[in-house]
Amino acid sequence: MRVAEGARVWWAWRGQCSYLPGVAPPTRSGRVSMATGRGRLLQQHWLGLQVLRLPLGGAGAAPGSDRFRRGPGVRAAAFRTLGKQHALDEGPWGRPWPHCPAWLDSMPSEILLKILSYLDAATLLCVGCVNRRFYHLANDNLVWIRIYSSAFSPKRYNWRAGSVERTAESTNLLSVEDKDAGHWKKEYIMKQMASLRAALAQVLKPVNLYTGLPENTKEALRISGVGWVIVLREKSGREHVLEHVDLFINDSSVTIAWYGKAWPCLAALSTLDLCGVMPVFMDWPRSPTKNGPRWCSLVAKYSLSDMTDSAMMGCDRFVRLFRLDPGLLVGLWKREEELAFVTANLHISHLVERSTLGSATVPYELPPHRALLDDSPEYGLRGYQLHVDLHSGGAFYLCSTFCNLFTNTGCIEDGYVKLVVIHFQNSVEHLPLIGEVGLCWRTETADGCIKSCSIMDVTLLDEYGKPFWCFSSPVCMRASPSPSDSPRSTGQTFCIDYQDAVGAVHAELVRIEETEEYFIVSLALRLRLAKINHWFGTQY
């Protein structure tokens, strides 16, 4: 209805321009004969709505001209329809069109502002992308103060406003134009984002005692409408933005996949940006506004030149897998040396914040950690809890929690503190893996599974239950020499290794050929001493 009101404003101005000397305007009653036809009036009214929706090329641009056809954001099909309508050579009420067409861009600013006042916030932002004039008109403070007031003004009561209230209201309206252009647009957008983030903070407040992570992460992702894109940037500066195709959420991580047939040439690419995208305007609390403007938050940046043989994890007869830290998996076709798929593995810890609170160029930074002082000589070396998962494509090979992990000052070596989770000599602690370990992949044309590869999720909590070290990354089991004192020396020995700026993980596995099972016979963490001193405020 609001768009229809804007259309009537347009037709009122258009009708004034259509009166020619010697041609009488329509009667006051507004009646038309059946010769002109009610269908014709409906057709002309529909044409007004289409003209109102289209960003036009400029004043005096004819429907068939190149300038009109090549205007930004214009769809050719709509202009073909518009050209057919003008071919009728009839204006409103059956009168002929004047020789000087009046397009939307040639209208006075006052009329355009009146039309824009009937639009919602998302449509106004789209209108501002047409050209420079529409950008300034769509930033008008009087237009945005109405939207802002209707969304965030306090509740009004049902008494008549007195002279004092009316005077204050008129004074506020007069002060609107004192602000810089676009002030109330920015205020509305920032307040919309702030209200959404406050609601998400409430949803994420309950914590799972088992993993130490927010319980309602899936609900928060659904409410916020968060998605993920990858931005492939060529060496020339050209960008390719790809929306994710598949999404898998488990208790401690999110796996996101991109695949298709329209990949750019690998040789021309330089970097890959992983970004979270979230709708700016929310139809709270029902659903996000679809097909509207989105907020982009940089999660991680990768250099595609890092795909060397040292980064290769494994291969099968179709693809080769490369790991780019943190948590990115890139698949290349063997024959063509081109991209087959990209998979990102994101740990749930602060996932919503990282995907929504950053900017397009700067990732979100966690707030500074406040250390809690403790006089114990072993403070920072005790009370750890580890939750570790090994999985791929919905299949879990390992899911275990280890409590009350501790170490001592004698285990500090080369700037690292060692935490032994599974002791090699104690066979009671050894854990089996469920099923045949393999990393599944899929594209539109083929799929497969690369053996001995999987996704590892590690969540290490301190003695207060706060996440101390979290990551989700592809890992690979590689053959290693079998120790001489191995309790299962008859089987082949493998190891899994991972390292980043916080610490390292080393696991040793033995494969039992009789049962075709893998057993984890040793698991140890090495934590960087500088991280422990910073986190706990200690001086080891």
Side-chain angles (χ1 to χ4, degrees):
M1 294 300 295
R2 295 180 64 84
V3 174
E5 293 175 6
R8 285 196 288 272
V9 173
W10 189 91
W11 277 114
W13 177 83
R14 183 65 182 82
Q16 294 175 6
C17 298
S18 301
Y19 301 150
L20 301 177
V23 179
T27 61
R28 179 170 299 181
S29 63
R31 296 179 179 176
V32 294
S33 64
M34 292 304 294
T36 59
R38 181 179 302 174
R40 178 176 298 166
L41 282 180
L42 294 176
Q43 195 176 29
Q44 291 164 354
H45 178 67
W46 173 87
L47 175 62
L49 293 178
Q50 297 300 316
V51 172
L52 185 65
R53 293 173 182 170
L54 294 176
L56 303 185
S65 67
D66 290 340
R67 182 184 179 189
F68 192 91
R69 188 180 299 109
R70 295 174 185 173
V74 176
R75 284 185 279 183
F79 279 99
R80 286 197 296 269
T81 306
L82 187 60
K84 292 179 182 178
Q85 182 67 25
H86 279 273
L88 298 175
D89 289 332
E90 291 186 359
W93 304 288
R95 302 298 182 184
W97 288 100
H99 295 291
C100 298
W103 306 119
L104 197 61
D105 198 23
S106 64
M107 296 170 62
S109 298
E110 294 80 7
I111 302 297
L112 288 175
L113 286 174
K114 182 64 176 176
I115 295 174
L116 296 182
S117 66
Y118 293 104
L119 303 180
D120 57 17
T123 309
L124 274 177
L125 289 183
C126 295
V127 169
C129 298
V130 174
N131 54 32
R132 183 173 298 179
R133 185 190 179 200
F134 277 87
Y135 173 78
H136 291 296
L137 290 173
N139 276 0
D140 186 78
N141 282 330
L142 285 175
V143 174
W144 281 98
I145 190 62
R146 294 189 180 96
I147 298 176
Y148 181 90
S149 301
S150 62
F152 300 112
S153 290
K155 295 181 180 180
R156 297 173 178 265
Y157 296 95
N158 292 327
W159 63 61
R160 176 179 292 181
S163 58
V164 176
E165 287 81 359
R166 287 196 297 268
T167 303
E169 184 176 358
S170 62
T171 304
N172 291 334
L173 290 177
L174 289 175
S175 63
V176 169
E177 291 297 334
D178 294 340
K179 305 289 185 181
D180 295 335
H183 170 80
W184 289 106
K185 179 181 79 171
K186 296 177 183 177
E187 289 291 324
Y188 177 78
I189 293 175
M190 297 310 295
K191 201 155 187 177
Q192 279 272 5
M193 299 290 288
S195 62
L196 173 61
R197 288 164 183 167
L200 291 178
Q202 292 297 321
V203 175
L204 295 172
K205 191 173 275 188
V207 175
N208 188 334
L209 298 179
Y210 177 64
T211 61
L213 302 172
E215 278 189 324
N216 302 324
T217 300
K218 293 182 181 179
E219 180 67 12
L221 294 176
R222 185 192 65 81
I223 291 175
S224 62
V226 172
W228 291 271
V229 300
I230 54 174
V231 182
L232 296 171
R233 189 170 291 105
E234 296 184 1
K235 298 173 184 177
S236 62
R238 183 182 178 186
E239 295 182 350
H240 305 267
V241 181
L242 303 179
E243 304 280 343
H244 75 265
V245 180
D246 283 339
L247 181 68
F248 174 74
I249 304 177
N250 59 40
D251 290 337
S252 55
S253 69
V254 174
T255 301
I256 312 153
W258 293 264
Y259 54 83
K261 299 179 181 179
W263 291 102
C265 179
L266 178 62
L269 299 177
S270 60
T271 60
L272 183 149
D273 293 353
L274 172 61
C275 302
V277 290
M278 181 183 68
V280 174
F281 303 124
M282 308 293 295
D283 188 12
W284 185 263
R286 286 173 288 177
S287 63
T289 302
K290 296 182 179 179
N291 301 324
R294 300 188 296 179
W295 179 269
C296 184
S297 177
L298 178 64
V299 177
K301 195 177 187 72
Y302 305 89
S303 174
L304 295 180
S305 61
D306 294 338
M307 288 192 300
T308 60
D309 291 339
S310 61
M312 192 175 77
M313 291 182 50
C315 62
D316 59 11
R317 59 175 181 161
F318 293 116
V319 299
R320 294 191 300 158
L321 292 185
F322 294 85
R323 187 184 82 184
L324 300 180
D325 293 328
L328 193 72
L329 189 66
V330 179
L332 300 184
W333 294 114
K334 269 188 172 181
R335 291 184 178 180
E336 303 175 358
E337 282 294 324
E338 290 295 332
L339 289 171
F341 60 88
V342 174
T343 303
N345 303 278
L346 304 177
H347 199 277
I348 279 182
S349 178
H350 300 288
L351 173 62
V352 177
E353 293 87 342
R354 288 183 291 150
S355 302
T356 60
L357 299 184
S359 68
T361 56
V362 180
Y364 168 73
E365 292 186 4
L366 294 176
H369 174 71
R370 296 182 60 184
L372 298 176
L373 301 180
D374 194 319
D375 295 334
S376 172
E378 296 182 352
Y379 183 53
L381 305 178
R382 65 188 182 191
Y384 288 99
Q385 177 178 324
L386 173 66
H387 182 78
V388 58
D389 291 334
L390 281 177
H391 62 90
S392 172
F396 279 83
Y397 311 121
L398 175 69
C399 182
S400 295
T401 300
F402 307 89
C403 301
N404 298 323
L405 302 178
F406 64 92
T407 185
N408 52 57
T409 55
C411 295
I412 298 177
E413 183 180 355
D414 297 330
Y416 285 89
V417 175
K418 187 176 182 180
L419 286 176
V420 179
V421 182
I422 297 178
H423 295 79
F424 183 80
Q425 295 78 11
N426 189 357
S427 59
V428 177
E429 297 180 352
H430 299 174
L431 293 177
L433 300 186
I434 302 173
E436 187 69 24
V437 177
L439 187 58
C440 300
W441 60 271
R442 183 177 66 177
T443 66
E444 291 182 346
T445 57
D447 55 20
C449 184
I450 298 181
K451 295 182 178 180
S452 302
C453 296
S454 62
I455 307 298
M456 175 184 282
D457 301 338
V458 166
T459 307
L460 184 65
L461 309 178
D462 63 13
E463 59 180 303
Y464 302 104
K466 302 296 182 183
F468 177 82
W469 183 31
C470 302
F471 71 85
S472 177
S473 175
V475 294
C476 180
M477 292 190 301
R478 303 186 186 276
S480 65
S482 178
S484 58
D485 57 345
S486 171
R488 294 181 174 90
S489 57
T490 57
Q492 186 178 3
T493 305
F494 298 85
C495 66
I496 296 177
D497 288 291
Y498 173 84
Q499 184 171 2
D500 61 18
V502 178
V505 177
H506 177 74
E508 294 184 0
L509 302 94
V510 173
R511 178 178 173 86
I512 309 301
E513 297 298 337
E514 291 80 3
T515 60
E516 296 183 350
E517 289 181 298
Y518 289 94
F519 277 82
I520 299 180
V521 297
S522 176
L523 178 61
L525 308 182
R526 296 174 69 240
L527 306 179
R528 191 177 292 273
L529 184 60
K531 170 71 173 181
I532 293 178
N533 288 333
H534 173 74
W535 187 268
F536 295 99
T538 54
Q539 294 294 330
Y540 289 115

